[in-house]
Amino acid sequence: MYWRLNKISPQQFLQHYAVHIALAVSLSVNLFQMVTRPKQDKLPQQMQQSFVIFAKQVTSHLLDTTYLTFVDSTAALDGELAPTVKKYLKERGLLTQGAELSAMAIQLKRSRQVCAIRFDRVQMSDPNAQGMIPCTVAGKIAIHSSDESGPQEQDFCFRYLIGISKATQQPIVAGFEELSAAPQGGG
């Protein structure tokens, strides 16, 4: 028995292999688009909202000098700050613990000191190379006491690096920087 070679016309070839060719072209175009698309480091809107709330909460706890809530706010910082940030804040005198905390609480209670915080700007940026989310929080703090001691109104501006704690899977401040608080327009 011998083999017979058939000549196939281009029309017959397309009728027989058109689906296969279309599939191969489609796969190669999709693969090219997937490989060349830009990397998306954007935070989902819901996650960004929760980080904004967290940044405001941490700032409130850091700046709280109201005699009624000072001790609770300082205790809450223990779970919100990374150990390196706590150490940095202790060295700068911005975070008190132990006997200093008790003495400060007594002093605030004697002077009946309260504070009010106004947030002018909370700005989130895209995650950095380490996966941390930079966040800038700025505003004013007003302090009132019965003996009228201390500054009455003061600007603040902090930059946080917010990450997710591996132990608790909750947001945590992994980096802290105090920026010069330039007054924002508007009043």
Side-chain angles (χ1 to χ4, degrees):
M1 194 169 200
Y2 65 95
W3 295 97
R4 200 168 120 185
L5 295 174
N6 288 333
K7 290 189 174 184
I8 299 175
S9 70
Q11 183 180 4
Q12 289 174 329
F13 180 79
L14 285 177
Q15 284 177 344
H16 190 33
Y17 293 108
V19 173
H20 298 139
I21 293 170
L23 179 64
V25 169
S26 174
L27 283 173
S28 60
V29 167
N30 286 336
L31 182 63
F32 175 76
Q33 286 180 345
M34 188 171 65
V35 169
T36 60
R37 79 172 181 210
K39 185 178 179 185
Q40 294 200 351
D41 281 342
K42 301 278 185 192
L43 286 175
Q45 186 67 25
Q46 184 179 7
M47 184 178 256
Q48 189 171 1
Q49 287 285 344
S50 68
F51 280 127
V52 166
I53 292 168
F54 176 73
K56 285 182 175 182
Q57 177 182 323
V58 170
T59 303
S60 296
H61 290 159
L62 275 173
L63 298 175
D64 186 13
T65 57
T66 301
Y67 72 98
L68 296 171
T69 58
F70 174 71
V71 174
D72 294 333
S73 292
T74 305
L77 287 171
D78 197 42
E80 297 170 342
L81 304 175
T84 55
V85 175
K86 284 186 237 178
K87 181 180 176 187
Y88 173 76
L89 292 174
K90 285 178 195 173
E91 290 171 358
R92 303 240 6 226
L94 299 172
L95 185 63
T96 58
Q97 286 187 330
E100 285 182 22
L101 179 66
S102 300
M104 183 77 154
I106 291 169
Q107 179 185 356
L108 293 174
K109 191 171 187 175
R110 283 187 187 144
S111 67
R112 301 279 190 226
Q113 183 170 314
V114 294
C115 72
I117 301 169
R118 182 183 78 200
F119 295 99
D120 293 334
R121 178 174 51 113
V122 179
Q123 182 179 357
M124 303 292 290
S125 300
D126 293 335
N128 63 14
Q130 293 81 26
M132 300 293 176
I133 297 132
C135 178
T136 304
V137 181
K140 287 187 181 285
I141 180 170
I143 300 172
H144 304 283
S145 63
S146 61
D147 61 1
E148 299 300 325
S149 63
Q152 295 302 315
E153 195 172 282
Q154 192 174 7
D155 293 326
F156 67 87
C157 187
F158 301 136
R159 180 177 294 140
Y160 303 124
L161 284 177
I162 301 174
I164 300 294
S165 170
K166 291 179 183 175
T168 62
Q169 297 301 312
Q170 296 295 319
I172 191 167
V173 175
F176 175 85
E177 183 180 1
E178 189 171 5
L179 306 174
S180 61
Q184 299 293 320

